Amino acid sequence: MRIAIGQVSHETNTFCTGLTTIDDFKERTWLYGQDIIDTNRGVRSYIGGMIDAAVRMGIELVPTFAASATPSATISRETFERMSDDLLAGIREVGQIDGVCLSLHGAGVAEGVDDLEGAVLEAVRGLVGPDVPIVSTLDLHGNMTQGMLNHADALLGVNYYPHVDSYERGIEAIGLLARIINGEVTPVMHLVELPMMIPSTTTDLSPAKDVNEWCWAWEKQPGMIDCTFF
């Protein structure tokens, strides 16, 4: 089983002045190929979890392109197009794959692209076709869209803030992707957007703690794979 992995991750604050550029991403993460594995092996990151899960399951991971930047202003159009192009080129170059596992954020915005993750997932889907499953990890502080659901097979968000379970979500993503590839499950996703906001709170306190516990209770229902609130 061959799974391509990649990352395009940014928590965008559109109220910030200026633009986030390639140089800003290169200050944090801008990696190609094997450097992605070497940098994340043994690290409790999303990709670190993907690597360890793949090793345990005997899955061949094919690293493509990975970029992330510190939370900041809207991403420049040039930077977004470069990241998208490099991710697609990386997937294209690895040849035959059985699935794609991505580390995205959920709150990315570029010039003219309000739903960065939806655009990335749509582009990847257009490249690999309808029969290659795509699973992505996401940040708790993401803005979920129907476009994201339309082009992915499963979206798995962290449950905790601070995000101490990024590694576990990486493990979960590879495990679920393998089950999809093997025909064990066929996930169906449903998004509910509530007309409300809660303050940014740590998940050890109410109300986020309570909502998490409701989600975990729903996950125990028959046929439920995952339930996450953002």
Side-chain angles (χ1 to χ4, degrees), residues 65-102:
F65 170 72
S68 69
T70 302
S72 49
T74 299
I75 301 167
S76 74
R77 184 65 182 232
E78 176 190 8
T79 302
F80 166 73
E81 291 179 352
R82 171 73 181 277
M83 292 190 296
S84 181
D85 288 347
D86 284 2
L87 176 63
L88 296 178
I91 296 173
R92 191 180 295 112
E93 290 167 4
V94 300
Q96 185 65 36
I97 54 174
D98 300 299
V100 177
C101 195
L102 299 175

Side-chain angles (χ1 to χ4, degrees), residues 10-20 70-75:
H10 187 247
E11 186 174 55
T12 306
N13 184 342
T14 58
F15 292 102
C16 287
T17 57
L19 293 171
T20 299
T70 302
S72 49
T74 299
I75 301 167

Side-chain angles (χ1 to χ4, degrees), residues 93-161:
E93 290 167 4
V94 300
Q96 185 65 36
I97 54 174
D98 300 299
V100 177
C101 195
L102 299 175
S103 171
L104 304 178
H105 187 284
V109 178
E111 290 180 298
V113 185
D114 289 340
D115 179 10
L116 182 147
E117 288 77 14
V120 169
L121 289 166
E122 182 177 8
V124 173
R125 174 61 70 202
L127 176 62
V128 302
D131 299 324
V132 175
I134 302 171
V135 174
S136 176
T137 58
L138 295 168
D139 190 290
L140 173 69
H141 300 114
N143 302 308
M144 299 298 292
T145 68
Q146 190 61 46
M148 294 164 64
L149 271 66
N150 290 343
H151 302 293
D153 291 85
L155 300 169
L156 303 171
V158 291
N159 298 148
Y160 296 106
Y161 178 53

Side-chain angles (χ1 to χ4, degrees), residues 48-71:
M50 295 176 193
I51 294 168
D52 284 355
V55 170
R56 287 199 297 268
M57 299 174 67
I59 295 170
E60 179 186 357
L61 283 191
V62 188
T64 59
F65 170 72
S68 69
T70 302

Side-chain angles (χ1 to χ4, degrees), residues 2 24 129 183 227:
R2 300 183 83 233
D24 296 312
C227 179

